[in-house]
Amino acid sequence: MYKDGIRVVIADDEPITRMDLKELLSEEGYQVVGEAADGFDAVEVCKQCRPDLVLMDIKMPLLDGLSAAKIVYEENLADTVMMLTAYSEREFVDQAKDIGVAGYLVKPIDEKSLVPSIELAVARSKDMKKLRKDMQKVSERLENRSIIEKAKGQVMAQEGMTEQDAYDYIRKLSQTKNLSMRRVAEIILMKSGGQ
């Protein structure tokens, strides 16, 4: 089943809400790995547990849920954060969207919509995470290519080689020195001061 293995942290200053949610989630096959009563504790529990999902109340003492959620995302402490709140004001929804919160549940929580809401939010977060990773790889590839192209140009100018010969030279160095082509290109550029 999809929800098995999803590790959850519940952050709410109301013990009864935490208890109800824990019971509901456990019955549905989720693994509640931590609880917190304020935003600071929520961040600390997330640091220790690295959960898949955090259900975080907006209004909490010391550090509110939105601020805690922002820290959780910035420090990559959980994949998905969903806000719990008795307030459905536009201002909170907009702030939650800006932070990257994946879902918003209004209290009292409707048991029938809890699991579908969680599953959609977790799936969307996984898709976004994969997309970010893919974008990072593409960006890295482009950067590598750009550095290799500069080094190739440098080799062509200094050694009077053709473009293909310069590329083969960098590739051969990469293989014999057991370094990435990017690293070889960086060294060539450093050596010639052309970076």
Side-chain angles (χ1 to χ4, degrees), residues 111-124:
E111 293 178 29
K112 289 186 293 295
S113 67
L114 178 65
V115 171
S117 296
I118 286 174
E119 290 192 16
L120 280 171
V122 168
R124 199 174 314 125

Side-chain angles (χ1 to χ4, degrees), residues 6 8-12 21 25 30 52-58 60 65-66 69 72-73 78-85 96 100-106 109 113-125:
I6 292 183
V8 185
V9 165
I10 301 167
D12 196 302
L21 275 170
L25 293 169
Y30 294 94
D52 302 302
L53 169 69
V54 184
L55 294 176
M56 180 116 53
D57 188 23
I58 284 183
M60 287 191 292
L66 288 168
V72 166
Y73 275 128
D79 290 341
T80 309
V81 178
M82 292 181 75
M83 302 311 296
L84 304 171
T85 184
V101 167
Y104 199 90
L105 298 166
V106 180
I109 290 162
S113 67
L114 178 65
V115 171
S117 296
I118 286 174
E119 290 192 16
L120 280 171
V122 168
R124 199 174 314 125
S125 288

Side-chain angles (χ1 to χ4, degrees), residues 6-44:
I6 292 183
R7 303 167 71 254
V8 185
V9 165
I10 301 167
D12 196 302
D13 60 333
E14 297 171 24
I16 196 105
T17 303
R18 288 198 312 271
M19 191 176 70
D20 288 348
L21 275 170
K22 185 175 184 174
E23 192 176 307
L24 262 172
L25 293 169
S26 297
E27 282 172 12
E28 289 294 334
Y30 294 94
Q31 187 183 350
V32 178
V33 294
E35 295 180 42
D38 65 60
F40 279 113
D41 287 349
V43 170
E44 288 309 307

Side-chain angles (χ1 to χ4, degrees), residues 8-187:
V8 185
V9 165
I10 301 167
D12 196 302
D13 60 333
E14 297 171 24
I16 196 105
T17 303
R18 288 198 312 271
M19 191 176 70
D20 288 348
L21 275 170
K22 185 175 184 174
E23 192 176 307
L24 262 172
L25 293 169
S26 297
E27 282 172 12
E28 289 294 334
Y30 294 94
Q31 187 183 350
V32 178
V33 294
E35 295 180 42
D38 65 60
F40 279 113
D41 287 349
V43 170
E44 288 309 307
V45 169
C46 288
K47 277 182 185 171
Q48 292 162 11
C49 302
R50 301 286 172 161
D52 302 302
L53 169 69
V54 184
L55 294 176
M56 180 116 53
D57 188 23
I58 284 183
K59 296 274 187 167
M60 287 191 292
L62 302 176
L63 184 68
D64 68 274
L66 288 168
S67 301
K70 190 170 193 234
I71 294 167
V72 166
Y73 275 128
E74 284 173 356
E75 296 185 13
N76 201 19
L77 304 177
D79 290 341
T80 309
V81 178
M82 292 181 75
M83 302 311 296
L84 304 171
T85 184
Y87 314 90
S88 59
E89 284 113 36
R90 184 87 238 154
E91 161 199 355
F92 291 129
V93 175
D94 289 342
Q95 285 178 352
K97 274 195 318 194
D98 291 344
I99 291 167
V101 167
Y104 199 90
L105 298 166
V106 180
K107 295 181 200 175
I109 290 162
D110 175 20
E111 293 178 29
K112 289 186 293 295
S113 67
L114 178 65
V115 171
S117 296
I118 286 174
E119 290 192 16
L120 280 171
V122 168
R124 199 174 314 125
S125 288
K126 281 185 177 169
D127 289 346
M128 287 303 293
K129 192 174 188 176
K130 185 186 178 315
L131 202 58
R132 277 195 295 273
K133 200 177 266 183
D134 290 349
M135 283 175 56
Q136 193 175 351
K137 280 181 190 169
V138 168
S139 174
E140 206 171 283
R141 248 184 255 133
L142 285 171
E143 193 178 318
N144 287 351
R145 189 171 294 160
S146 170
I147 290 170
I148 292 166
E149 286 295 317
K150 281 183 191 169
K152 192 170 67 175
Q154 197 71 41
V155 171
M156 287 166 61
Q158 287 176 344
E159 306 296 328
M161 292 183 180
T162 67
E163 187 173 355
Q164 187 59 51
D165 288 343
Y167 180 82
D168 291 342
Y169 171 77
I170 293 169
R171 192 175 65 211
K172 190 170 176 19
L173 261 177
S174 164
Q175 291 166 344
T176 55
K177 299 298 182 188
N178 201 19
L179 295 169
S180 69
M181 283 185 71
R182 176 186 173 142
R183 189 66 193 127
V184 169
E186 287 171 343
I187 292 167

